Amino acid sequence: MAKNSNIQILVTDDEKSIRSSLRDILEFEGYTIFEAESGTETLQKVKEKRIDLILLDIKMQGMDGMEVLKSIRDEGHEFPVIMISGHGNIEIAVKATKLGAFDFIEKPPDLNRLLVSVRNAIDRHNLQRENRNIRSKLPQVPEIIGESDAISKIKQTIEKVAPTNSRVLITGENGTGKELVARWIHEKSKRSSSAFVDVNCAAIPTELLESELFGHEEGAFTGATSRRIGKFEQADRGTLFMDEIGDMSLDAQAKVLRALQENAVTRVGGAEKIEVDVRVVAATNKDLVDEIKAGNFREDLYHRINVLPIHVPPLRERREDIPMLAKHCLKNLAKDDIVFSGIEFSEEALEQLKCMPWSGNVRELQNAVERLGLLVSDSTITKDDVELMGSSRRTKPDQSDDLVMDGQTFQDFKEAAERLFLVRKLEENDWNISQTAEAIDIQRSHMYTKMKKYNIER
């Protein structure tokens, strides 16, 4: 019986005797039961609790079961609903099915029929959820490539920490593969059958981040025309990957800390707390200890997320992995595009790749391999090809003369120069908007405004 204790069922009926009878039957089977005596209370319970199935009476005072079912589906909830009625007929059963009911049972319910329907509903829902998760994972999570001591240690750490529910903080420079590490932690965890939800804290304007993380109610602010389910709720029973967490505002940090402490969130514009069961894996390219000293990051949040630290080293600190990575990238390109088929590296070319700085880490190496594969004159990428690419990357054309020639007015020149400056700085910071804004000493909101003004896209 205990095996069903994690299944939470809401029994809705305006007759107390019916609710009590159903509670006794289902609790004997080990399920966790909540009760509601009206449609309004049902919708309230759905907001407050994690519900896996509802037994819903059709005829009730006020909002009837059909209206409740429609509201539940309109809000995007997918858990099964079994309708119960003492006045059943085929027309009502058909209508309930069209609205998304799993089954229709007449009062008084037959015990065996009820339990079979409950088990089937839960089994089908779990199967549908697993199928969605399997589809969402295709293609499979890429392998972590490398045999260096650093990568071997990371793989061993993942094997140890993944089966736990402890929070993980992944640190490392841009392009080192922090998200890949996070995905493998999820893949090897007990939560792998549930969702992996990622959010880039640096890519979302501060004023929208709270809504993105916690969701919002209809009418919470201008433009909130309907209810939105936030990332925390989407990741319920799964993993929430918070990338670039060091770029969050202090206000957003405080709200994330509260959510982690209470295992509950409150949507923007709402008042009710919604329980969530989420494992948070965070990542940052910043030194959060330095950020704490500078007053940019909360120390209490740091200790909450830094239960299990994993550092992903830059490529320059594991150069022995570069040949394997380069060949793997070329192999993957050949799978997707016949243009790369049959192309390979010479040993000298692989050694030359090991000598390059790779400030953009694995991401830069992937782009370089693609460029080499496209521009190679025959089927072998040589040392000369790599050296030529490295030389062209170090030489940046002076565009100042072009700006002067193209500008019709002084204002034209200023705007063209500003656009070029912003693009260059974004490239230097791997298109991390928060990091770029900090580097050139302007507010992040101004950065978004200028990117929109000059139509700058990655």
Side-chain angles (χ1 to χ4, degrees):
M1 289 187 290
K3 68 180 180 180
N4 292 327
S5 60
N6 64 326
I7 304 297
Q8 300 188 162
I9 298 176
L10 176 60
V11 176
T12 298
D13 199 295
D14 56 4
E15 296 183 49
K16 186 176 181 180
S17 60
I18 295 291
R19 295 200 307 273
S20 298
S21 177
L22 291 174
R23 173 188 277 275
D24 291 342
I25 293 168
L26 294 167
E27 283 186 339
F28 182 79
E29 294 295 317
Y31 298 109
T32 299
I33 305 301
F34 302 110
E35 292 184 28
E37 63 178 352
S38 68
T40 302
E41 188 181 355
T42 299
L43 296 179
Q44 189 66 26
K45 281 284 198 300
V46 169
K47 289 181 182 180
E48 296 172 356
K49 305 292 184 182
R50 174 182 57 77
I51 302 299
D52 298 296
L53 181 143
I54 294 182
L55 295 176
L56 180 60
D57 187 22
I58 290 182
K59 296 294 183 181
M60 297 183 292
Q61 291 184 351
M63 182 183 289
D64 67 21
M66 291 298 190
E67 294 174 297
V68 174
L69 177 60
K70 187 176 186 304
S71 294
I72 287 171
R73 293 301 182 233
D74 287 346
E75 290 179 6
H77 298 290
E78 297 180 345
F79 49 72
V81 177
I82 297 175
M83 308 300 289
I84 301 176
S85 176
H87 312 281
N89 57 50
I90 293 177
E91 184 181 350
I92 294 176
V94 170
K95 184 178 179 182
T97 303
K98 286 182 177 180
L99 286 173
F102 175 79
D103 200 357
F104 184 92
I105 296 177
E106 294 187 51
K107 289 182 181 179
D110 175 80
L111 173 59
N112 291 329
R113 166 83 195 284
L114 175 69
L115 292 178
V116 168
S117 183
V118 167
R119 282 194 291 268
N120 288 344
I122 292 170
D123 288 345
R124 191 176 81 169
H125 183 57
N126 288 340
L127 182 61
Q128 289 172 338
R129 184 165 56 193
E130 287 174 12
N131 287 339
R132 284 197 302 272
N133 288 327
I134 290 171
R135 287 196 299 270
S136 70
K137 291 175 184 176
L138 296 176
Q140 293 181 339
V141 180
E143 184 183 353
I144 298 177
I145 303 298
E147 295 179 349
S148 61
D149 290 343
I151 291 301
S152 297
K153 185 177 179 181
I154 287 174
K155 291 178 180 178
Q156 291 169 7
T157 303
I158 290 173
E159 293 289 341
K160 289 181 180 179
V161 306
T164 73
N165 281 319
S166 299
R167 300 183 188 109
V168 181
L169 177 62
I170 307 169
T171 56
E173 295 178 5
N174 285 331
T176 51
K178 298 188 292 295
E179 182 178 349
L180 182 57
V181 172
R183 287 188 176 275
W184 271 113
I185 291 172
H186 174 74
E187 188 73 13
K188 291 180 175 291
S189 74
K190 297 174 183 177
R191 298 170 176 265
S192 59
S193 61
S194 297
F196 176 90
V197 178
D198 62 285
V199 55
N200 189 327
C201 302
I204 303 169
T206 301
E207 59 272 18
L208 297 179
L209 185 60
E210 186 180 351
S211 170
E212 188 75 15
L213 290 175
F214 308 123
H216 62 249
E217 298 289 353
E218 181 180 352
F221 50 82
T222 303
T225 56
S226 61
R227 171 181 288 174
R228 176 190 176 93
I229 303 299
K231 298 291 188 182
F232 268 88
E233 285 185 78
Q234 293 174 31
D236 189 34
R237 300 188 188 181
T239 302
L240 176 62
F241 176 52
M242 301 184 69
D243 199 8
E244 305 301 353
I245 196 170
D247 291 290
M248 275 202 307
S249 67
L250 288 170
D251 183 52
Q253 290 174 34
K255 288 167 181 171
V256 168
L257 176 64
R258 189 179 306 116
L260 297 182
Q261 288 172 333
E262 299 177 356
N263 291 320
V265 297
T266 302
R267 298 189 189 116
V268 178
E272 302 299 332
K273 288 186 178 179
I274 301 158
E275 297 176 0
V276 289
D277 174 17
V278 172
R279 182 188 194 176
V280 169
V281 177
T284 181
N285 61 2
K286 294 185 174 181
D287 186 327
L288 293 187
V289 174
D290 288 345
E291 293 297 305
I292 291 169
K293 292 176 182 177
N296 297 327
F297 201 83
R298 294 181 62 108
E299 186 173 6
D300 44 6
L301 178 58
Y302 173 72
H303 292 303
R304 283 275 176 180
I305 63 175
N306 191 35
V307 178
L308 295 168
I310 296 178
H311 179 69
V312 185
L315 205 51
R316 61 183 175 274
E317 293 180 9
R318 53 183 187 102
R319 293 185 182 277
E320 61 268 43
D321 290 333
I322 290 175
M324 187 182 296
L325 279 164
K327 289 189 285 187
H328 182 76
C329 291
L330 198 55
K331 183 179 178 182
N332 281 343
L333 288 167
K335 287 180 183 177
D336 298 329
D337 196 330
I338 196 171
V339 171
F340 299 95
S341 181
I343 298 175
E344 59 183 16
F345 284 99
S346 70
E347 289 301 319
E348 294 79 10
L350 292 172
E351 286 300 314
Q352 185 62 31
L353 286 173
K354 288 168 64 176
C355 299
M356 296 177 67
W358 302 118
S359 58
N361 294 297
V362 178
R363 193 177 297 140
E364 183 186 6
L365 176 62
Q366 290 171 335
N367 294 337
V369 170
E370 184 173 357
R371 187 179 302 111
L372 287 165
L374 288 170
L375 299 180
V376 66
S377 54
D378 54 30
S379 61
T380 301
I381 299 172
T382 67
K383 179 181 177 181
D384 291 342
D385 294 325
V386 176
E387 287 180 335
L388 182 62
M389 179 195 67
S391 174
S392 66
R393 288 167 66 83
R394 288 190 295 270
T395 304
K396 291 189 175 180
D398 183 1
Q399 298 181 8
S400 57
D401 288 344
D402 292 338
L403 293 176
V404 173
M405 295 300 293
D406 292 343
Q408 299 297 313
T409 66
F410 183 53
Q411 183 63 30
D412 291 339
F413 170 76
K414 284 200 302 181
E415 291 183 355
E418 185 174 41
R419 187 186 191 283
L420 177 61
F421 174 77
L422 293 173
V423 170
R424 286 279 179 82
K425 291 301 179 183
L426 283 163
E427 289 175 345
E428 289 176 11
N429 290 282
D430 196 32
W431 290 83
N432 183 312
I433 296 172
S434 295
Q435 195 170 314
T436 304
E438 184 178 342
I440 63 178
D441 195 26
I442 68 171
Q443 295 182 15
R444 183 166 63 172
S445 58
H446 291 174
M447 190 74 189
Y448 283 106
T449 301
K450 290 182 180 296
M451 289 177 69
K452 184 176 181 180
K453 174 182 177 182
Y454 297 126
N455 194 27
I456 296 174
E457 295 180 356
R458 183 164 187 167

